[in-house]
Amino acid sequence: MTTSIAPSTLLADYQAVRAWSVRLCASLETDDYVVQPTADVSPPKWHLGHTTWFWETFVLMPNAPGYQVFHDDFSFVFNSYYETVGRRVLRTQRGNMTRPTVAEVYRYRDYVDEHMSRFLDEHEPDAALHALITLGLNHEQQHQELLITDIKYILGHNPLFPAIAMPIREHAPAIIAPSVTVGEGVHDIGFREAELGRFHFDNELGVHKVYLNKTTVAGQLITNTDYLEFIQAGGYGQFSHWLADGWAWVNANSAKAPLYWHKIDNQWYNYSFDGLVSVDPDAPVCHVNHYEADAYARWRSLSEPGVRLPTEFEWETAALQDSSFLWGHRWEWTASAYLPYPGFTTARGAVGEYNGKFMSGQMVLRGASVATPAGHERPTYRNFFQPDKQWQFSGIRLVRP
Amino acid sequence: MTTSIAPSTLLADYQAVRAWSVRLCASLETDDYVVQPTADVSPPKWHLGHTTWFWETFVLMPNAPGYQVFHDDFSFVFNSYYETVGRRVLRTQRGNMTRPTVAEVYRYRDYVDEHMSRFLDEHEPDAALHALITLGLNHEQQHQELLITDIKYILGHNPLFPAIAMPIREHAPAIIAPSVTVGEGVHDIGFREAELGRFHFDNELGVHKVYLNKTTVAGQLITNTDYLEFIQAGGYGQFSHWLADGWAWVNANSAKAPLYWHKIDNQWYNYSFDGLVSVDPDAPVCHVNHYEADAYARWRSLSEPGVRLPTEFEWETAALQDSSFLWGHRWEWTASAYLPYPGFTTARGAVGEYNGKFMSGQMVLRGASVATPAGHERPTYRNFFQPDKQWQFSGIRLVRP
Amino acid sequence: MTTSIAPSTLLADYQAVRAWSVRLCASLETDDYVVQPTADVSPPKWHLGHTTWFWETFVLMPNAPGYQVFHDDFSFVFNSYYETVGRRVLRTQRGNMTRPTVAEVYRYRDYVDEHMSRFLDEHEPDAALHALITLGLNHEQQHQELLITDIKYILGHNPLFPAIAMPIREHAPAIIAPSVTVGEGVHDIGFREAELGRFHFDNELGVHKVYLNKTTVAGQLITNTDYLEFIQAGGYGQFSHWLADGWAWVNANSAKAPLYWHKIDNQWYNYSFDGLVSVDPDAPVCHVNHYEADAYARWRSLSEPGVRLPTEFEWETAALQDSSFLWGHRWEWTASAYLPYPGFTTARGAVGEYNGKFMSGQMVLRGASVATPAGHERPTYRNFFQPDKQWQFSGIRLVRP
Amino acid sequence: MTTSIAPSTLLADYQAVRAWSVRLCASLETDDYVVQPTADVSPPKWHLGHTTWFWETFVLMPNAPGYQVFHDDFSFVFNSYYETVGRRVLRTQRGNMTRPTVAEVYRYRDYVDEHMSRFLDEHEPDAALHALITLGLNHEQQHQELLITDIKYILGHNPLFPAIAMPIREHAPAIIAPSVTVGEGVHDIGFREAELGRFHFDNELGVHKVYLNKTTVAGQLITNTDYLEFIQAGGYGQFSHWLADGWAWVNANSAKAPLYWHKIDNQWYNYSFDGLVSVDPDAPVCHVNHYEADAYARWRSLSEPGVRLPTEFEWETAALQDSSFLWGHRWEWTASAYLPYPGFTTARGAVGEYNGKFMSGQMVLRGASVATPAGHERPTYRNFFQPDKQWQFSGIRLVRP
């Protein structure tokens, strides 16, 4: 992985990224940092510790002469990787770890930040180390988005529905943008350094050709008003709209609406960082999973034949082809399974565990969301989650022939 | 769905297909027909009843004047479809249904066969009905393959490891065939009536263009000897060979070998319809799931860089391009997720539930197996199962750049 | 364990008991013998094989010179004991064992019966062997009752609700008998050979004194009419009538009535060996579990203070004290947990696993039921099941101060 | 429930009990208050809130004129009762409730304490209210013991094994006390106000007669050295020592030692509030469940026939008969199931849910432990837990004939 960030800015980038993680937690109470209400959601404390452990383990320990680890056991406590680096704590036990305390985790961050800053100030990283540090920054940015979604889950499942100040514009406005038509023929897909000139993950590498049919990609996302029509038409009660696994999910969870929606006295509310508020009719629908996105599209195709979710290739082509194509408010579920690009290979070692091992059973999301850190998004980015996950800021865009 | 079978042969085809279902069960004891040892495996009795119910419900009832159903409750008992046709019996309860008895199910078959034969003898089906009957024949052939795999599972999990006579050549010989190289460029994918001129399922319809890189598809399948090297190299104990979900499967199931393999006194045996026999070193490995196929390929790529599973498009292109390409002994796991072809739409009604609703979380297998009824296979056929399933006659073919 | 059965009658007893097991299955189809719809219910085939295995293993093998076992693997297949005699088949896997077939199991029975008859004809068992044979007869009688309850469960969960001829009087009439008052003071509890002079299990041994308060034991069991009042009063929906575990059971199972009851067009039906029939208003309620019995009693105590279930000691005292006390139609749930009598010890070896290891988490039932083989009942008999079990012929008797 | 505490001391008692709850948490970090690592263990924050809610709901709201609740939603958040008082939070969700924060809970305590103190200062409670307040004090003391056991569980399952200062003498010394022989005959059981003159729960009410055989109750508890012999003799690997449910528990949990024990480099350590320390050979064994206590006794009976656990009646008789009988270091598992005493009835309303509904599936423990608040213990106290629970300070005492 290469990068064009000049060495002189690496320290500034490091400090900015690290400060943002802390900024996201500024309104939390200590209590909020500790719990894991479901397996997907990690305690905020763990995110803060894990991202710090990354710098200590992969940058400071191998490269900073005489560096002393902050605490011998933290490698065990904050490691999320399988086995390449020691024995990890099982993910579902993270929610029981009251020690190290939040205060200790912040001391850990300060200690590592001090050593990292000194190291970056005094050393000029070679290309490999530069790439690794850039990977670390992007890794921390990924956890910043998870910090936001996980904090929302924790507070959104609290019976008091607490409001907190979060430095993100959660309430995305409706977007009015023209649709984009992708032409039939062979298109290039994948990260191109010449054009995009920045960081990328291994999973988007390997420019390759894909044949597409002519497709018109909608300029705007499905809104809450649109989605309410599906709900009111009985969409959650009609099996023929759903994938078999999706219908099983609906029934096992008695699903009736997107995550965080509550019907109170016949009005729909949803939890946001402002507390429990009325559903905004114009905002793009949020916190739907792939099953819901697929069912919505299938239901729409009854009245508008040919309507469906885009493939990730159609999406990327539209985004690269037309600068008027607006995205970035919701992660957009695609019709593409998360699979390797031609020629994909996995790097050896812990860093190599990054992406490849998840290429089974997940769907690709494209774009970015209101929770994505500025600068982390790009049109070739491949995000991925299992089709039942709702807790990301995920929405729906449709295409038509 | 269209077909070129002449009306005069439809009756003969019907009788041949129906007879083969019965033939497959000829060596069973009544006891063997009744149980459901795991959710995926249906009782043989249920397969015999369900395929019969298909004819009664979709052909005789709407088309045969004055037809009387054999038993009012059988629609409830033998329906596998969601809700389009009545309320179905939950799949996992099939294993408790001692009534109707095996004897009654055979009477049900005789009754329906008699009416179907008379109907086909006396009526000339129009094109739509002809297509539906052809679909029914292929539907029954699919259940014939499941009959074989389910009987094998039932007997292969019996502590007595009983041997029975089955009219299939389970022990496929090693195949020595040349590899096939697929050229770089745009290729046509999908069922083409002009060339293949026969039945097809909805999921393979829609000829469309796919861009492929140059790839060499191996001429022979991975053998038991090949696979034993992976086992002996500790393949089931090294997480880095496995997809994350695959590694979870290995650990949850203490997996150490393909299904039906048993290590006794340091020798490997596997259950077959001949009973418990030594693993044949030259036969293509069988009863591996997608995780195992993927892990095997990843392990091989350590010594042969670039080796991997084929996509379903590479496979289809090789099969259509070169008549020396031999297949049909094992369903071959591909690297492709089971997703709709461009323009895929679902037919309305119960028949429309056939394929589309399963397009989530499953992987495509191509080819056919020793358990596939003669004439049911074709190079555009898309079989699909969840990546953890081992009980089909599934194997591994590799490709290289 | 001692017995007064004369040697001359042992063979006749053996043959009568063995014939009754077969008689109970006379109306079954082969299919009915094979399945295990829930962990508590064993396949009838297994009961027939297991009781036969008992005779082979504990009587013939150690005592009959030159006896050859029928099949080497049957010890493995039909053993229900932990580990004293080989490795047992896990209980929940019994329902997958299509082999040995029903026909083979009957051949196994014939083979063992022939050898047992010859053995009993030619040998005069010493006291120890005599006691063991008597234990075997009682063991088989216990399985005869389970055969009936398990067959009822299998057919009663079949969507066709089949009727079969069973040689029991399932529809017990209402009993009109006087109540019995137990006096305050010390009473003797436990099996007394002098009075009862017959077989007993180890768990009822050890005559000991128990202090009882004055209690009046009802002469008749709670009827379906009585129990319907509880249902109609909303008894299944009011948590305050239920034990905490009982309330959890109600909710987890959406319980609304005894097992086998179905409300159709606002009328209550229940499954019996005659098929689905109207609930008999006068018959004693059947197929209730301990939670239901306890909740019924608690609900009744709102209008009749002090009403409750009897302890097993009150029951036994009433039964021994007054010959007009009628019992034997329903196993009657008591308020007593199944615990050892003073001085209880467990015999060594497989036979010792019989009762003691179950003395945790179960409740005592006293009496007998319409499914109990004639001669197997006695007033000191301690039956026991977990408090959530409904599938025995279990009912309710109340006491008052 | 009656009490002889003079009105003048009620306020002092209230303040002392309330202060002790806070004192027990003095060494906790905020993080430690929040989590629920297993369903049995409640977050310390919840205990502090729930006990406060008791005073607000049952004393202040009905009795203190003009009392304003601290927060409208706290009734919902801190209610552990079924349905008598509103809808309760499901117990297993307590571990996700980061709000109200620990700080808010302490403010809640202060607010309620201020109002309670003023109320008790200004009002002379009548007998009924006096009894209710006394019940509240005992209720809070019960939660004080749970606070200790739950904090131990939380920290004892943390990979850092943190040490904290706790105001209890966790390391009970070995007790050398003479055994006590209970004579054969009728004994009185149950709380007697004349003798014990203090608070009692409803479950120990109802003096009644029980007939006991002559039994010698050991003067000292089983020590760690004693229990290690059982471990070293392979006790956890031999099914014949265990109840059937106990053996299932051993296997499902791979149990090999009491809770908190860890074998490191062939030495046994156990977690305590001092951190991970060597097992003290002389201390009474702790954190064993009923299955372990029963298995230990059964194993001992092989060498000392007749040895077993005491019934709760033998224990109570010994404790009341002989002042040299020492107890209070461990809750002692008895051989008695938790069942109602003769004449037991449940009070109406929420307070009535206290004890009766748990009289199913649990075993009685007698005595008290190092975690029991001073003054809360008495010889007629009936503690109870399911037989698989290990996390209380529970130990073993044996009896012999």
Side-chain angles (χ1 to χ4, degrees), chain A residues 15 29 51 94 129 155 157 190 269 315 344 356 374:
Chain A
Q15 289 171 336
E29 302 286 346
T51 48
R94 290 176 192 168
L129 183 55
L155 299 180
H157 285 77
Y269 295 79
W315 193 98
F344 173 80

Side-chain angles (χ1 to χ4, degrees), chain C residues 133-201:
Chain C
I133 290 169
T134 308
L135 176 66
L137 294 174
N138 281 273
H139 170 257
E140 183 137 356
Q141 287 181 313
Q142 290 184 304
H143 280 278
Q144 286 166 355
E145 180 143 6
L146 290 172
L147 263 174
I148 296 170
T149 57
D150 292 2
I151 290 168
K152 183 165 183 179
Y153 193 98
I154 289 166
L155 299 180
H157 285 78
N158 187 293
L160 307 181
F161 294 118
I164 63 166
M166 268 302 229
I168 65 164
R169 294 190 40 162
E170 188 181 7
H171 297 288
I175 298 169
I176 310 293
S179 61
V180 173
T181 295
V182 170
E184 182 172 356
V186 174
H187 296 264
D188 277 344
I189 294 295
F191 180 82
R192 276 145 280 182
E193 197 171 348
E195 284 172 64
L196 297 166
R198 286 209 324 271
F199 174 78
H200 54 268
F201 283 113

Side-chain angles (χ1 to χ4, degrees), chain A residues 262-280:
Chain A
H262 300 270
K263 200 173 192 175
I264 303 169
D265 295 338
N266 226 28
Q267 289 292 316
W268 282 106
Y269 295 79
N270 60 357
Y271 176 73
S272 74
F273 289 119
D274 296 332
L276 202 60
V277 297
S278 287
V279 165
D280 176 358

